Amino acid sequence: MDTSTSVINNSSFQISQFILMGLPGIHEWQHWLSLPLALLYILALGANLLILITIQHEPCLHEPMYHFLGILTVVDIGLATTIMPKILAIFWFDAKVISLPECFAQIYAIHCFICMESSIFLCTAMDRYIAICHPLRYPSIVTETFMVKVTGFMVLRNGLLTIPVPVLAAQRFYCSKNEIDHCLCSNLGVTSLACDDSTVNKFYQLILAWTLVGSDMALVFSSYALILHTVQRLNSAEAMSKALSTCSSQLILILFFYTGITVLSVTHLAEKKIPLIPALLNVLHNVIPPAFNPMVYALRTHKLRQGFQRLLGLG
């Protein structure tokens, strides 16, 4: 039997924990980043909780668009909380050790929440498409039953299809190096440490990206292209302005989200030369949108601003 095969198959060589080294190349002063990251995390939690409470409190916000916004706030809180406590523990307390089950759970949560966010943007785009392009049919299509089915489909689709990512990662043999040059457990970063072949992991990651996020992105931009086409045919300048204003906040967030994913994917190609850039962008992409999304909605949605004022006793 080949010696390397013998080592891989021997469970005594299987490591029991990973060590998250932090951001590559700046280990000595990375703790200085903890303050802005902590502030972003607090902002994300506070702003999203405020939106969620406002939507629950205000009857005028019990509409499909705000239903999806409520789900988005829960997803944003989950995404930020998946990574930020551990990152801050690394920066503040040098708590670099993470067990294999915890690492695989983090991989699953990150993939699930990002795919959920993509699905929510697709749902909001379809909601605006029906409202603007087929306004007379909107009440009969977007019913309470329809909302329950769409929400259930989103949760099941993303929850089930992302399960193979950590499962495949857990099936790899980690028998030598256990230091991850990152401050979170990324799928490709973890499986690159495996002693056996991880081609299937990379292949499934690619398939997942194309089938979930890629298809969502194509449908989202198709929906907004049809919306713009319909808006251009409106004879009333006031109706055109109202239609565009209802879509503007969502379109800003959608462009920001998918641009971030595209930039992150491109920078991974240069990871060997400049490992800090994709690692830092990976962290920022998981914490900036949760902090940024509520501010855009708060600034550009009149009903939500009024709800804030009433909730805080300012109106």
Side-chain angles (χ1 to χ4, degrees):
M1 181 180 292
D2 184 80
T3 305
S4 61
T5 305
S6 174
V7 170
I8 290 173
N9 290 334
N10 190 339
S11 60
S12 64
F13 287 92
Q14 177 82 351
I15 62 174
S16 60
Q17 60 189 22
F18 291 120
I19 299 175
L20 296 170
M21 301 302 294
L23 296 172
I26 59 170
H27 296 158
E28 295 79 12
W29 57 273
Q30 63 184 1
H31 59 277
W32 291 106
L33 294 175
S34 63
L35 181 59
L37 288 176
L39 291 175
L40 278 174
Y41 181 50
I42 293 170
L43 176 63
L45 290 182
N48 281 290
L49 284 173
L50 180 61
I51 285 183
L52 192 60
I53 294 169
T54 303
I55 291 172
Q56 293 294 322
H57 185 264
E58 291 293 321
C60 67
L61 299 179
H62 295 172
E63 300 175 3
M65 184 176 76
Y66 298 104
H67 169 79
F68 291 127
L69 177 55
I71 299 173
L72 180 63
T73 61
V74 174
V75 170
D76 280 342
I77 290 171
L79 180 59
T81 304
T82 296
I83 68 163
M84 283 311 303
K86 184 60 180 177
I87 290 175
L88 294 177
I90 293 170
F91 290 172
W92 288 342
F93 309 113
D94 205 32
K96 298 179 179 180
V97 175
I98 185 169
S99 68
L100 268 64
E102 288 176 329
C103 191
F104 299 141
Q106 190 181 74
I107 289 174
Y108 173 75
I110 291 172
H111 281 77
C112 187
F113 284 132
I114 287 178
C115 291
M116 274 293 295
E117 190 153 349
S118 178
S119 296
I120 293 165
F121 286 139
L122 173 59
C123 289
T124 57
M126 295 301 294
D127 174 73
R128 291 301 86 196
Y129 166 75
I130 298 170
I132 294 172
C133 299
H134 304 283
L136 298 179
R137 298 177 58 193
Y138 184 83
S140 62
I141 295 175
V142 187
T143 61
E144 187 173 338
T145 303
F146 174 81
M147 297 297 295
V148 171
K149 289 180 179 178
V150 168
T151 303
F153 176 75
M154 276 196 302
V155 173
L156 286 174
R157 186 193 80 154
N158 298 303
L160 293 177
L161 290 180
T162 51
I163 287 176
V165 178
V167 169
L168 288 170
Q171 290 178 345
R172 303 277 66 81
F173 287 94
Y174 303 95
C175 59
S176 55
K177 186 180 178 183
N178 68 339
E179 294 181 351
I180 303 173
D181 213 9
H182 209 318
C183 47
L184 56 84
C185 288
S186 66
N187 181 44
L188 297 181
V190 169
T191 54
S192 67
L193 302 179
C195 298
D196 55 348
D197 187 20
S198 61
T199 302
V200 65
N201 300 73
K202 297 174 183 177
F203 181 74
Y204 189 82
Q205 174 106 2
L206 183 64
I207 293 296
L208 189 70
W210 278 105
T211 55
L212 292 188
V213 179
S215 61
D216 286 351
M217 183 168 60
L219 290 171
V220 163
F221 288 114
S222 298
S223 298
Y224 278 103
L226 292 171
I227 288 171
L228 290 174
H229 179 70
T230 300
V231 166
Q232 286 178 343
R233 295 189 299 173
L234 296 176
N235 295 324
S236 170
E238 183 180 352
M240 184 184 299
S241 175
K242 184 178 179 181
L244 290 174
S245 66
T246 60
C247 296
S248 60
S249 57
Q250 297 167 16
L251 194 54
I252 290 171
L253 299 182
I254 286 166
L255 288 171
F256 183 76
F257 176 77
Y258 287 117
T259 300
I261 287 181
T262 303
V263 170
L264 186 60
S265 301
V266 171
T267 54
H268 265 295
L269 298 176
E271 187 170 8
K272 291 183 178 179
K273 294 182 179 179
I274 318 173
L276 172 63
I277 301 300
L280 184 59
L281 287 177
N282 198 351
V283 172
L284 294 177
H285 186 260
N286 289 331
V287 71
I288 288 181
F292 181 68
N293 293 350
M295 290 189 291
V296 173
Y297 271 110
L299 290 172
R300 303 191 65 87
T301 307
H302 181 64
K303 282 187 178 181
L304 201 55
R305 287 201 305 273
Q306 288 183 326
F308 290 153
Q309 291 171 358
R310 284 191 289 268
L311 184 67
L312 299 174
L314 301 176

